[in-house]
């Protein structure tokens, strides 16, 4: 059942080739190569500091790459091609591009002064200009999907971490994104709350949502991901199916990392 999120046939949701990023003199991404097909789930594993977050943030205009090729949804990130030349996108084009990408962060990042419902309808109403009543209806559907209908009028601080993260997922989905990025979505949660968030993500994957997930949850990666990528030192060191990566690990670096977390 992969029907709810129809996708262009044969196209890649993400194509990264030789992506480089510096912070001052520190080179954080040293030529990242990655493709993600529509409708697939790609997990990124790797030690802290290996550039996973920076790479995700480059896809979503939160960081700007310095070198390389990065295409999301069939378009270059931040640039448009015209007559064989590249032009930087205008703010409005960047906003349109970002609106198609949902992102979920480790620390939820909900708006603290808004209720759950207000958090979810904010972007659809003010960015997509969707009619408020329609936005509320969609938001209630999404809250039901993440099991939080009863919390529509609650403020984020009154919710558990797991509930807040499920609201954050609903908020991202409210924009009807073509791609969802998750940056360690369960790392800030108490262990007993991890499962409820992973279950929502499992459901999304089963519906055919295209997802890139940075995670240390190896069980989730093994079970849900189509492709697992191991990053270290600013590059993709190894990638493959979960079986290839976990059971037939090729590189010493990935073996050492998996040996430590398993
Ligand atoms: P990961 O998500 O794999 O832990 P990050 O992408 O967060 O790795 O970080 C990679 C490296 O880039 C780290 O050394 C980190 O300290 C550095 N870094 C990340 N963001 C910034 C920033 N805004 N300014 C300077 N250095 C940064
Ligand atoms: Mg990170």
């Amino acid at each position: 059942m992969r029907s709810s999120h129809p996708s262009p046939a044969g196209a890649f949701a993400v194509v990264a080739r030789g992506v480089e990023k510096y912070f001052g003199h520190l080179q954080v991404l040293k030529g990242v190569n990655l493709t993600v097909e529509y409708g697939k789930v790609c997990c990124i594993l790797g030690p802290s500091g290996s550039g996973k977050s920076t790479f995700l943030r480059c896809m979503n205009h939160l960081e700007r790459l310095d070198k390389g090729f990065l295409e999301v949804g069939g378009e270059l990130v931040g640039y448009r091609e015209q007559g064989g030349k590249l032009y930087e996108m205008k703010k409005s084009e960047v906003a349109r591009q970002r609106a198609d990408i949902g992102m979920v962060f480790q620390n939820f990042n909900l708006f603290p002064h808004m209720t759950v419902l207000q958090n979810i309808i904010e972007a659809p109403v003010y960015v997509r200009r969707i009619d408020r009543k329609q936005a509320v209806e969609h938001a209630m559907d999404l809250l039901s999907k993440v099991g939080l209908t009863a919390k529509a009028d609650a403020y984020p601080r009154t919710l558990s971490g797991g509930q807040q993260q499920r609201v954050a997922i609903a908020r991202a989905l409210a924009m009807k994104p073509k791609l969802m990025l998750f940056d360690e979505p369960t790392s800030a949660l108490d262990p007993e709350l991890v499962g409820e968030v992973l279950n929502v993500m499992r459901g999304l994957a089963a519906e055919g949502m295209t997802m890139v997930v940075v995670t240390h949850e190896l069980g989730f990666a093994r079970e849900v991901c189509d492709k697992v990528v191991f990053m270290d030192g600013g590059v993709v060191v190894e990638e493959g199916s979960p079986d290839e990566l976990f059971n037939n690990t090729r590189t010493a670096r990935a073996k050492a990392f998996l040996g430590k977390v398993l």
Side-chain angles (χ1 to χ4, degrees), residues 47-54 57 106 183-184 214 216:
S48 174
S50 57
K52 305 179 300 295
S53 295
T54 303
R57 292 166 63 84
Q106 185 174 338
D183 194 357
E184 300 200 30
V214 174
H216 297 296

